[in-house]
Amino acid sequence: MRFWWMLLVASLAAGTAASRSREWAHHGATMFADLSPREMNAVRDYLYSCSELGLISARDKSLKKNSILLMELHVPRKHEALRALDRGQAKPPRQARVVVQFGNQAKPNVTEYIVSPLPYPRSYQLKTFKGDRLIRFEGRPITAVEYEHLYKVLEKVGKKINKILHESTGFTFGNCTDRCLTFSDIAPRGLESGERRSWVMLQKFVEGYFIHPVGFEILINHKDLDPKKWTVEKVWYNGQYFDSLDEFVEMYEKGTISKHKLPEHDEEDLFSTYIPRGHTNTRTNIHGAKLVEPQGRRFQVDGNFVEYAGWSFAYRVRSSAGLQIFDLRFNGERIAYEISLQEAIAFYSGDTPAAMQTKYIDAGWMMGTSDFELAPGIDCPEIAHFVDLYHYYDTDKPVRYRNALCIFEMTTGLPLRRHFNSNFQGGFNFFGGLENQILVIRTTSTVYNYDYIWDFIFYQNGVMESRVSATGYIHATFFTENGLDYGAKVYNYVLGNIHTHLIHYKVDLDIAGRDNSFETIDLKYVNFTNPWSPEHTILQSKLHRTQHQTERSAAFRFGKKFPKYLHFYNQNQNNKWGHKRGYRIQYYSHGNSVLPRGWREENGIAWSRYQLAVTRHKDSETTSSSIYTQNEPWEPLVSFEDFIRNNENIVNQDLVAWVTVGFLHIPHSEDIPNTATPGNAVGFFLRPFNFFDEDPSLASRSTVIVRPDEKGQPKVQRWTPEVVGHCVSDKPFYYNGTYAGV
């Protein structure tokens, strides 16, 4: 009797603890919620009232102004957040990170402030950076006003060379109607620190203009805050360089240069459009397969707090970097404190100056704000839960991005697990299976030509996946005689340039607590005498474990052997079978480094040296990149190498895994009009590794078991409604299981 009483008390205590854990997770989720429009407006109004800052509209046409560039949530320190998440204590006051560009002073600079408390701010304080580094004004992201001035420079250029442009391309820049040119600007903006010089490539302004270069590129120096002092420093035309526009025009008119003339533009040529063409074998009078929720939705969303099949987490979409999740728990236990996108880069090669210079570092383009509206039935299933997002970047008021995030449950069409147990006599002993349903939270980033689809995926067996799928238009340049060394010809005069994508994630793991350790597991051969046949030897594999003691030993460079198992565990907690409770990171990626270590721009992306680096958590190491790296990669504000330089001990510590995934893209004709997602997805899994005593998906009631009854007829056992629903099938589940000759 006493045993049953103790069991009941223990059960009630466990239930109370689980309820409390859920309550505290829900309570703390708002700490990570993005700033609301109300908070953004309050911060703006407060800072405008601080006369010492001298702030004016971000859209004022002058570059010599003090204005707000960016406003986003300032996430609380981890130990402060955990007091609310793990003890139910009061949440720290909400704060905003505000980036201000001070152009109206003798020495222009960019300064960041932390503004608090929200929603009624009354103070601001300077945000400092490691090593007291300062933000160079030339490293600031480019704004809409600066683009307007660049466009005016190009209009002046057009007036001088439109006759040549029309002869060469049939199009002109400015003073045109339907045959106009547009431009793409290239970054980084220079070759060394302190510069602000951009190569600009002209393109036909037609649908899909990214793949319509016309063979004309110019280098504009726009460092001065007076646009009247901006200059054109170089011209590239049809493989030839000129030191000025005047030199180019003079030599063109004298006929002393190699000229080109594009084929007559054909309005019926649809190569860069989505308009269907070619023979189809698919019926067009019916739609393809769709997702349904036959008995309703099985996940819950409350603000930025999400629950599904034992999972719970809070999410945000950081304006500068993108999708992040916090306080990730399974069955009430935290797996990770933070899993967040940090940076995405695409480094190109080519034979034109624009291609040579293209090294896109996308946080510098505010890739978090590039999360435009998602299309139901294409970007997300029609049944998805859609969320509006709000950003404050290069604006005077919050901007609403309608339906920019979606959350949905889907079936993968593949069982999570299954087994058919044959009796080897034409029948079976049993069949068991579990449908693989998952939860997906998704945003996209359209950073100019490329579209990235960002997914965090949650499985019923405690596995979490982070995936990015690349699509959109390739970055193309004018085809030259050396072009095939740097890509593939995809149109009469268009080269699709080779490039490498790398994506960086922060994975702050808390496996069964904050005191974690890291080991790698590989196999090695062992050779020994066969115990049951001494005249022979046995050669087989044996587990080989390496305990990593310091940060340097846990930093794995690209090009070096990469361990097969990356195991994070709590050495103070065992599962039922005596194993250390842990999770492992499993990659699917074929990325590689993009530049040799220490080579100019590579200093700004030091994280790209490593497939994986493991460091101790520090609140001063919140991000591996910054919005300034794109235009100041040579002396970056944030240097990831600093994170591991002190080589701290990582045994029984609060650990962060910094994960790099990516792929090489050699464009090909099938990338026209767009790169397709199949084969262009990379990412990683977080997989339980002895964290549980058995597969936690056993808790799912979607399991189906079939056994023969006494008469040999299949008997179905299930724990969900017998009929799925008329939208899927009005027939109950049936399984025969026999096999015989015919």
Side-chain angles (χ1 to χ4, degrees), residues 386-403:
F386 289 89
V387 179
D388 294 348
L389 299 176
Y390 296 86
H391 297 292
Y392 196 108
Y393 168 66
D394 193 22
T395 182
D396 293 323
K397 60 183 179 180
V399 177
R400 176 189 180 191
Y401 292 74
R402 186 187 301 273
N403 294 346

Side-chain angles (χ1 to χ4, degrees), residues 413-444:
L414 187 75
L416 184 65
R417 45 186 167 80
R418 59 96 67 190
H419 179 65
F420 175 83
N421 192 250
S422 172
N423 67 3
F424 302 104
Q425 297 176 5
F428 68 111
N429 298 315
F430 79 91
F431 166 83
L434 175 61
E435 188 177 1
N436 189 14
Q437 277 129 351
I438 59 175
L439 185 79
V440 181
I441 180 169
R442 172 176 295 169
T443 61
T444 61

Side-chain angles (χ1 to χ4, degrees), residues 534-551:
E535 66 273 19
H536 297 94
T537 59
I538 297 289
L539 180 66
Q540 64 183 14
S541 296
K542 178 181 178 181
L543 290 177
H544 178 69
R545 298 175 184 266
T546 303
Q547 174 73 54
H548 294 272
Q549 304 281 338
T550 62
E551 292 173 325

Side-chain angles (χ1 to χ4, degrees), residues 57-72:
S57 167
R59 293 307 174 95
D60 183 276
K61 301 305 179 185
S62 173
L63 297 177
K64 296 179 180 179
K65 63 175 182 285
N66 302 345
S67 61
I68 295 173
L69 177 68
L70 171 69
M71 186 190 304
E72 63 184 13

Side-chain angles (χ1 to χ4, degrees), residues 211 271 474 476 479 488-492 494-496 667-669 671-672:
I211 51 178
F271 97 100
I474 57 174
F479 188 82
K489 190 174 187 179
V490 293
Y491 193 63
N492 291 335
V494 181
L495 179 76
H668 45 90
S669 55
D671 282 318
I672 300 300

Side-chain angles (χ1 to χ4, degrees), residues 130 550-552 615-616 618 621 641-649:
K130 211 167 187 177
T550 62
E551 292 173 325
R552 277 289 179 197
T615 66
R616 283 171 64 165
K618 285 189 177 69
E621 296 174 351
E641 199 65 32
D642 292 344
F643 293 16
I644 59 178
R645 184 168 283 123
N646 53 6
N647 200 26
E648 290 184 293
N649 181 276

